Amino acid sequence: MSRIRALLVVIQFSLTVAVTIFFMYLFRNHTHKVIKIWMKFQMFFLGIKLEQEGSLDETCDMVILNHQSLLDIIVMEYIHSKNLAWVAKKEITDLPFFGHIIKAPRMISIDRENKAGLVKLLRESKDRLSKGRPIAIFPEGTRTDGKTILPFKSGAKMVANKLKLRVQPVVMLNTRKILDSKKLTCNPGIVKVIYLEPVQASNDTDWFKQTELKMNEILKEKSKNEF
């Protein structure tokens, strides 16, 4: 049954992505509103219920979160009221047609194989922040099995330290069990979102490593006890 539901999700997602891209280009100054409508529909269609622990500080300049599933983005977009600027790998942006889901809302695309990618990340992050858009990034750099957090890549730390950002760490649980694009399974369920205390980025502290350890600790503990 989960496979059949996943197939329906793929069909639905492909159709609604096309519609969403069309409207984002049609209403260039209102792309955030278009995205919010799309994400609300996805939450309803997927049958997602939320449990939240702690509180989200929307005054933070950057959101970092663990990455298990496409659902991570859907949930955070649904929760956060601001126009997040997601950092995506260039391979997604280069996809025929679907890459416009990154281009149309002016997200940040980086080439991880190119050393100039970090310079571009810093420049574009500064630009989006100047427009009131917090940066949203998966510091692991890729999706995981949801059981542990991979070592963080340096990009988020570099941007946060250089621009002296206030960072909101977030841990999400159960998103991969609900929507797994690799196994092509989908089941309605509860996503638990845990907000850690915001951190002020600084070259003088090891905030980045300590945040990684804390997020990993919470993920392992909560996964074992609740999911």
Side-chain angles (χ1 to χ4, degrees), residues 22-34:
F22 171 78
F23 278 107
M24 282 195 291
Y25 279 119
L26 184 63
F27 301 105
R28 291 296 285 162
N29 295 326
H30 302 284
T31 55
H32 184 223
K33 291 181 180 178
V34 175

Side-chain angles (χ1 to χ4, degrees), residues 38-95:
W38 183 43
M39 294 306 181
K40 286 179 181 179
F41 174 77
Q42 295 303 323
M43 293 289 286
F44 171 78
F45 186 89
L46 295 171
I48 305 301
K49 294 183 179 179
L50 290 178
E51 286 185 5
Q52 301 182 63
E53 184 177 313
S55 58
L56 173 64
D57 187 343
E58 293 198 347
T59 67
C60 287
D61 313 290
M62 175 181 281
V63 178
I64 60 173
L65 59 162
N66 58 310
H67 194 20
Q68 311 168 43
S69 165
L70 172 64
L71 188 53
D72 304 324
I73 299 172
I74 293 172
V75 170
M76 185 50 61
E77 281 284 357
Y78 177 80
I79 293 171
H80 210 297
S81 68
K82 292 190 177 181
N83 187 11
L84 297 172
W86 289 89
V87 177
K89 54 188 178 182
K90 187 174 180 290
E91 292 90 330
I92 297 175
T93 313
D94 290 343
L95 288 173

Side-chain angles (χ1 to χ4, degrees), residues 160-178:
N161 283 351
K162 287 281 188 181
L163 301 179
K164 298 179 174 59
L165 306 184
R166 184 169 166 78
V167 181
Q168 171 68 75
V170 178
V171 175
M172 285 196 190
L173 294 95
N174 211 36
T175 54
R176 182 160 181 160
K177 289 182 182 178
I178 294 174

Side-chain angles (χ1 to χ4, degrees), residues 56 125 128 133 211 218:
L56 173 64
S125 294
R128 303 307 186 275
R133 301 182 63 184
T211 300
I218 290 174

Side-chain angles (χ1 to χ4, degrees), residues 180-191:
D180 190 330
S181 57
K182 291 186 177 180
K183 294 182 179 179
L184 200 60
T185 58
C186 180
N187 297 285
I190 299 172
V191 173

